Amino acid sequence: MSELKRLILSASIGGLGYHPGAPASQPQRLTELGHYRQLLRAAERGRLDFVLLEDGRAVTGEWPVGRLDALTVLARLAPETSSVGLVASKPTTYSEPFTVSRELATLDFVSGGRAGWDVTTLASSAEAQNYGEPRALPDAERRLIAAEYVEVSRKLWDSWEDDAVVLDRAGGRYLDPAKLHHINHVGAHFKIRGPQITYRPPQGHVVIVAVDRGDPGAPLSAALADVLVLRQPTLVAAQQAYAEHQQAAATAGRDVRVLQSVLPILGATAELAQARAAELDARAPAAGGPDLLRAIGTPAQVADLLEEWFRAGAADGFHLLPAMLPGDLEALADELVPELRRRGLLSAEYGGRTLREHLGLAQPGSQYAGAPSEAFTAYDASPV
């Protein structure tokens, strides 16, 4: 079995469903807060480790629908949940790390340490044109920008040490100036002095998630992310990818969790599940998307497959892509999760309060701890 005592379970909650044949009914739900509240409550009821709310920057696709800003929605609903991790998509293209790292730190504070960041880049010309560019940047450039963007964000989160704020009223001190740092980052794409104006996040660093969506310009690196979400359709391919990413993480001195995406279609019997899958397939466009693990059957049959992959070293867990939302996520939480729990693959309760604790990831210390600081001058009104 994997070195983890239990498998990690997460789900995407964007759009109207992840099967290409899912009917685009009631698209107005995507702008209703109650829709997302229902999804988050189902995920927390099933003790999922995190949910991921995707975002975009253009109206595209066969069924164009309006969407709300992912991070704003999750920040609004954070106080209505207590444990489930909240991962928001935020692109590293046409934005600034100072602003985005602050927004993500804020989500970490309002959620009590449950924030995650799905690092994306903008690949379409439609998105680029919304930011005044004629076409998307080349793949290699988007990857390089993303890597530096994450590096800068981590530096900004580290610019306040954990105990920088002292609140010494008697001594008239609000903070220890030796523990506030300029980052003085000068790179190929960003030049940022710092420090950040939001304190160090409760988790130290917001959890970085990288998802394989088939975009060669998006970062998918164990040296960059804390969680990799892959999409291999076969056990052998998944085992190979898992081993490669874990080796890359070890080489980089990092701890990474590797999840496999899966599109489960449940039925009370195997025949009913197959019939439902066939109905959805018949509605799907002729041109299919990238290969993806599909799990069709009763909750016990789907659990058999997930257990096989977990025990065979193909994944640390699974990222669920519900065929239709919200119904399929609720079915997975209420029918599949109890079956996995009966097998000892999931715990009855969360393994901690923060997303890092859910995932078994250590909280990083500030890279500037103990270093000389001049950042207190950041409060001067004089030009730098």
Side-chain angles (χ1 to χ4, degrees):
M1 182 181 281
S2 164
E3 292 182 3
L4 295 177
K5 294 181 180 178
R6 64 173 185 86
L7 61 82
I8 295 165
L9 207 60
S10 59
S12 281
I13 60 168
L16 298 168
Y18 290 89
H19 192 291
S25 60
Q26 298 182 304
Q28 71 276 11
R29 289 182 304 168
L30 299 183
T31 57
E32 295 173 356
L33 195 63
H35 171 69
Y36 300 100
R37 181 183 291 114
Q38 181 179 356
L39 293 171
L40 263 65
R41 287 178 175 171
E44 195 158 75
R45 185 169 69 246
R47 301 294 188 268
L48 269 63
D49 294 295
F50 66 84
V51 295
L52 189 158
L53 182 53
E54 297 92 344
D55 211 343
R57 294 296 184 269
V59 177
T60 59
E62 184 179 357
W63 298 101
V65 292
R67 298 195 184 198
L68 302 179
D69 178 75
L71 194 145
T72 303
V73 169
L74 294 179
R76 168 61 181 82
L77 292 174
E80 299 187 27
T81 59
S82 61
S83 299
V84 65
L86 307 172
V87 177
S89 291
K90 275 287 180 179
T92 58
T93 323
Y94 316 124
S95 64
E96 288 294 327
F98 187 88
T99 300
V100 171
S101 67
R102 186 185 184 216
E103 293 171 342
L104 290 160
T106 300
L107 178 61
D108 209 38
F109 275 105
V110 301
S111 66
R114 293 182 284 135
W117 176 16
D118 170 27
V119 178
T120 62
T121 67
L122 301 184
S124 72
S125 295
E127 291 171 314
Q129 290 162 10
N130 283 339
Y131 289 89
E133 300 294 335
R135 62 188 64 84
L137 296 173
D139 295 343
E141 186 174 357
R142 286 190 290 126
R143 286 195 303 271
L144 290 172
I145 291 172
E148 186 178 345
Y149 202 113
V150 171
E151 176 192 356
V152 173
S153 296
R154 284 178 167 144
K155 287 179 177 179
L156 287 166
W157 293 328
D158 286 345
S159 62
W160 291 74
E161 294 185 39
D162 290 313
D163 54 352
V165 178
V166 294
L167 295 177
D168 180 6
R169 297 182 185 277
R173 291 199 314 159
Y174 174 73
L175 59 83
D176 182 346
K179 296 185 178 182
L180 185 65
H181 302 271
H182 292 315
I183 69 169
N184 292 321
H185 176 88
V186 179
H189 303 96
F190 303 105
K191 183 177 181 180
I192 299 175
R193 184 193 191 207
Q196 183 55 272
I197 60 173
T198 302
Y199 305 148
R200 184 166 165 80
Q203 295 184 99
H205 295 168
V206 169
V207 173
I208 305 293
V209 180
V211 181
D212 182 2
R213 296 183 174 94
D215 174 12
L220 194 70
S221 164
L224 181 76
D226 302 302
V227 179
L228 298 176
V229 180
L230 310 182
R231 49 192 310 153
Q232 269 79 32
T234 67
L235 177 59
V236 172
Q239 288 171 317
Q240 181 177 350
Y242 180 85
E244 289 174 353
H245 284 296
Q246 289 293 356
Q247 180 57 53
T251 300
R254 292 182 47 76
D255 197 9
V256 69
R257 301 290 176 258
V258 179
L259 310 183
Q260 285 292 340
S261 295
V262 57
L263 197 160
I265 300 176
L266 299 181
T269 66
E271 292 75 18
L272 289 173
Q274 290 290 347
R276 182 161 185 257
E279 179 184 358
L280 289 168
D281 289 345
R283 293 198 193 116
D291 288 338
L292 179 69
L293 174 65
R294 295 191 357 152
I296 301 170
T298 65
Q301 289 171 330
V302 173
D304 285 342
L305 180 63
L306 301 188
E307 182 174 9
E308 177 189 5
W309 280 46
F310 180 62
R311 293 187 183 278
D316 295 315
F318 299 92
H319 185 69
L320 305 174
L321 301 174
M324 295 173 59
L325 290 169
D328 279 273
L329 180 62
E330 294 181 313
L332 292 167
D334 297 336
E335 299 172 24
L336 177 62
V337 167
E339 179 63 35
L340 293 170
R341 190 171 293 134
R342 278 193 289 271
R343 299 168 184 231
L345 297 171
L346 291 177
S347 302
E349 300 297 333
Y350 281 103
R353 179 81 170 86
T354 71
L355 178 53
R356 285 189 172 276
E357 289 173 328
H358 296 351
L359 301 174
L361 295 170
Q363 178 160 323
S366 169
Q367 61 190 287
Y368 302 110
S373 172
E374 298 176 354
F376 196 70
T377 60
Y379 292 98
D380 294 343
S382 57
V384 176

